[in-house]
Amino acid sequence: MWTLGSGDFEDGMKPSQPPANPPPSGPQGTMIFRPGDLPAAAPEDVWAGADPADSPRLIGVGGGFDGRAFPLRPGKTLIGRRSSSDIVLDTPGVSALHAWIVEDRGQFRIINALSTNGTFVDGIKVHDTPLADGALLRLGDVELRFRAGRRARQRHLFRQPLVWALSGLVLAAVLSWALWLR
């Protein structure tokens, strides 16, 4: 926090209290942040309070995580061994930052984060690929089943017809107006 005062700075600003444990600076004075210094930059959890069958999730089917459900966050979900991951798979075959699952307008993709043991979808090694409901993911020695959830599937199913229907209504209104002016 900075306060106006008669400090040593040309603009009269001075720190009100020096930080007890300041983070290090990079070569050009760039501040390096610790994980707890910034709030999470994640969108509001739109799946909160939903029936688990409605929410996108991964379900463990092997590698010691059998039957365990891992809800996916809206936007991006990081999967890895590191404790700061959104889904923590603490097993040696999973890399610290193994993969991302990205949700964009009801469509899901998995992106390998240069993991050591690779990311597989339905037995095929992938770098960046769309996910279909029911796809079997393998990260290291862990197998997970992807479930898109009813809510995400419904949003995707209704998006295209709704756009076409609205476009048709707008076109019909414009044509009606043009004919009326004749």
Side-chain angles (χ1 to χ4, degrees), residues 118-163:
T119 299
F120 295 79
V121 175
D122 295 326
I124 300 168
K125 190 172 187 175
V126 299
H127 172 67
D128 180 349
T129 194
L131 289 175
D133 187 54
L136 182 64
L137 313 179
R138 184 166 51 88
L139 297 97
D141 56 348
V142 177
E143 289 188 331
L144 304 158
R145 178 83 54 197
F146 169 71
R147 292 295 179 198
R150 286 189 295 250
R151 183 182 292 172
R153 286 195 309 264
Q154 288 170 352
R155 284 193 316 172
H156 174 64
L157 290 175
F158 291 113
R159 179 169 286 114
Q160 291 298 341
L162 181 61
V163 168

Side-chain angles (χ1 to χ4, degrees), residues 2-173:
W2 295 88
T3 58
L4 188 58
S6 58
D8 297 326
F9 298 101
E10 186 175 305
D11 61 1
M13 298 299 284
K14 67 177 183 177
S16 58
Q17 283 185 341
N21 212 0
S25 294
Q28 281 93 27
T30 305
M31 184 66 70
I32 299 173
F33 292 97
R34 293 178 297 251
D37 289 343
L38 298 173
E44 181 180 322
D45 187 1
V46 297
W47 313 119
D51 177 359
D54 290 340
S55 302
R57 65 204 178 284
L58 298 176
I59 300 172
V61 294
F65 295 94
D66 299 354
R68 187 162 170 206
F70 301 95
L72 300 177
R73 298 176 64 179
K76 292 191 288 187
T77 303
L78 174 61
I79 305 168
R81 197 177 64 242
R82 188 180 284 177
S83 64
S84 60
S85 298
D86 299 312
I87 296 177
V88 178
L89 302 174
D90 192 12
T91 179
V94 174
S95 295
L97 303 173
H98 200 101
W100 289 95
I101 293 185
V102 179
E103 185 261 340
D104 183 31
R105 295 183 299 243
Q107 299 292 308
F108 293 86
R109 306 185 66 72
I110 189 162
I111 302 168
N112 183 43
L114 301 176
S115 63
T116 303
N117 293 320
T119 299
F120 295 79
V121 175
D122 295 326
I124 300 168
K125 190 172 187 175
V126 299
H127 172 67
D128 180 349
T129 194
L131 289 175
D133 187 54
L136 182 64
L137 313 179
R138 184 166 51 88
L139 297 97
D141 56 348
V142 177
E143 289 188 331
L144 304 158
R145 178 83 54 197
F146 169 71
R147 292 295 179 198
R150 286 189 295 250
R151 183 182 292 172
R153 286 195 309 264
Q154 288 170 352
R155 284 193 316 172
H156 174 64
L157 290 175
F158 291 113
R159 179 169 286 114
Q160 291 298 341
L162 181 61
V163 168
W164 285 106
L166 290 174
S167 300
L169 285 173
V170 168
L171 180 61

